[in-house]
Amino acid sequence: AKSAGRNNFQFFDPKMNEAALERLGIEHALRLALGRDEFRLHYQPVIDVRSGRVSSVEALIRWQHPERGLVGPGMFIAVAEETGLIQPIGDWVIWNAARQLAEFRAAGIADVRMAINISAIQMRNSDLSVLASGIMEAYSLRPGDLIFEITESVAMEHPDETIRVLDRLRGMGVKVALDDFGTGYSSLAYLRMFALDKLKLDRSFVVEIGQDVDGQVICDATIGLARNLGLTLVAEGVETEAQLEYLKARGCELVQGYYFSRPLPAGQVVDFIRSRNGG
Ligand code: C2E
Ligand code: CA
Ligand code: CA
Ligand code: CA
């Protein structure tokens, strides 16, 4: 009786129907987009605060929609995750980001790494380390060239599995960053067991620098935590000089944000890298 009630509700609620229809529409459109090669990657530089050089770039997906123009991931990643389409889309992202890195190398950019966002489903379903080793071989990449970013909440969903997956990746030389740090509920015990290289301090805390004491306390604590665990800290969403100076003064090594650059198409990010790293 309960499930029938739920069905009736769904059937008669025009709003829910609309949402379901819209989801179906997006799912269909995403399938077409894959076939039509409408996805693009933009790259946001991550800056070493001491030297001012570009340390890595983060690949961020966009959808070049024929009518709507450039659509951000906030509009479609959730549907892609719910429908499982994130699997083929995520594979596309990894292959294309790696190919782009190989092109950077061919263009004489020797020392910049490529960071790639990995979804929950990619962590669970595919043999990520097999994919990674195939890609590194295909593009002659070296250990340390690729950084996989997984969010804190995804890592903590199945922590024992996360430990296994990250151990395998580390064994191949892939670096791992814990993304959106501070927004999930990591226990310190797990943080030590995950084979991590970097913590990415979530933008929501960086925004509080100079505004809110509690937010600032979390920034300070995370910087200390990263140092004590021997991890490199990346501060996300740095937009102002005041935020940069605060983080720098406390020993944060890497920063990323609009203050330096928005995510850029490949050609523009090459110019940006050259202007900072020389060559
Ligand atoms: P994220 O991994 O936390 O990426 C950082 C997001 O913050 C990006 O948004 C970036 O454009 C934005 N950002 C960077 N600096 C600043 C700043 O100074 N101020 C502000 N306000 N925003 C800044 P974007 O590109 O819209 O991506 C949103 C999220 O979508 C990403 O968050 C990530 O979770 C997801 N995403 C993007 N590309 C991929 C992908 O290829 N695969 C997967 N699974 N997820 C992706
Ligand atoms: Ca990320
Ligand atoms: Ca993030
Ligand atoms: Ca985020």
Side-chain angles (χ1 to χ4, degrees), residues 6-278:
R6 206 180 315 155
N7 282 339
N8 282 341
F9 180 67
Q10 225 165 41
F11 188 73
F12 287 116
D13 182 351
K15 255 210 199 117
M16 274 184 90
N17 255 340
E18 236 170 68
L21 273 179
E22 188 176 304
R23 178 164 316 166
L24 270 178
I26 296 175
E27 179 180 355
H28 179 65
L30 285 174
R31 281 186 201 284
L32 287 180
L34 262 173
R36 292 175 179 161
D37 207 19
E38 289 173 357
F39 293 112
R40 302 284 178 270
L41 291 176
H42 282 188
Y43 304 91
Q44 188 177 34
V46 176
I47 310 289
D48 182 323
V49 292
R50 285 257 190 103
S51 65
R53 293 166 67 90
V54 178
S55 165
S56 59
V57 295
E58 178 178 3
L60 294 157
I61 194 170
R62 275 91 183 91
W63 178 4
Q64 186 64 58
H65 192 280
E67 283 115 42
R68 294 191 201 179
L70 207 61
V71 179
M75 302 293 287
F76 62 88
I77 285 288
V79 173
E81 274 170 358
E82 284 165 33
T83 56
L85 279 170
I86 194 69
Q87 187 70 54
I89 293 173
D91 286 357
W92 181 92
V93 169
I94 300 183
W95 277 101
N96 279 274
R99 185 178 49 75
Q100 187 60 62
L101 184 63
E103 284 178 25
F104 290 164
R105 296 280 182 264
I109 295 170
D111 52 353
V112 172
R113 302 157 214 269
M114 178 66 69
I116 301 171
N117 291 287
I118 303 295
S119 75
I121 289 179
Q122 286 177 289
M123 281 282 289
R124 273 202 309 272
N125 289 2
S126 72
D127 199 336
L128 201 53
S129 54
V130 171
L131 178 65
S133 71
I135 282 171
M136 288 172 65
E137 199 185 323
Y139 292 113
S140 309
L141 299 178
R142 290 164 308 187
D145 275 347
L146 298 181
I147 304 164
F148 283 180
E149 297 194 359
I150 58 162
T151 65
E152 184 185 17
S153 47
V154 165
M156 288 306 297
E157 246 171 58
H158 304 284
D160 294 326
E161 200 185 328
T162 300
I163 292 171
R164 280 197 297 277
V165 174
L166 299 191
D167 277 344
R168 246 179 283 143
L169 288 173
R170 163 161 292 181
M172 304 174 22
V174 174
K175 304 281 176 196
V176 179
L178 198 60
D179 206 350
D180 298 352
F181 186 76
T183 61
Y185 303 92
S186 298
S187 82
L188 292 181
Y190 276 121
L191 266 188
R192 288 189 50 202
M193 284 189 272
F194 294 156
L196 297 172
D197 299 282
K198 293 181 163 72
L199 287 185
K200 295 192 81 171
L201 174 63
D202 194 67
R203 177 162 65 86
S204 58
F205 304 110
V206 173
V207 134
E208 302 294 355
I209 292 172
Q211 313 284 324
D212 177 279
V213 177
D214 292 345
Q216 213 160 278
V217 165
I218 293 177
C219 289
D220 295 354
T222 307
I223 292 169
L225 179 66
R227 183 177 301 129
N228 288 326
L229 290 174
L231 304 174
T232 306
L233 186 73
V234 187
E236 298 190 290
V238 173
E239 293 185 354
T240 68
E241 188 165 2
Q243 291 165 350
L244 174 66
E245 290 310 322
Y246 183 94
L247 292 160
K248 205 172 163 178
R250 278 156 189 79
C252 173
E253 290 164 67
L254 299 172
V255 293
Q256 178 178 3
Y258 295 170
Y259 180 74
F260 289 102
S261 174
R262 290 182 175 257
L264 300 170
Q268 287 175 41
V269 89
V270 165
D271 293 341
F272 184 93
I273 294 168
R274 292 222 164 98
S275 74
R276 296 221 148 228
N277 296 21

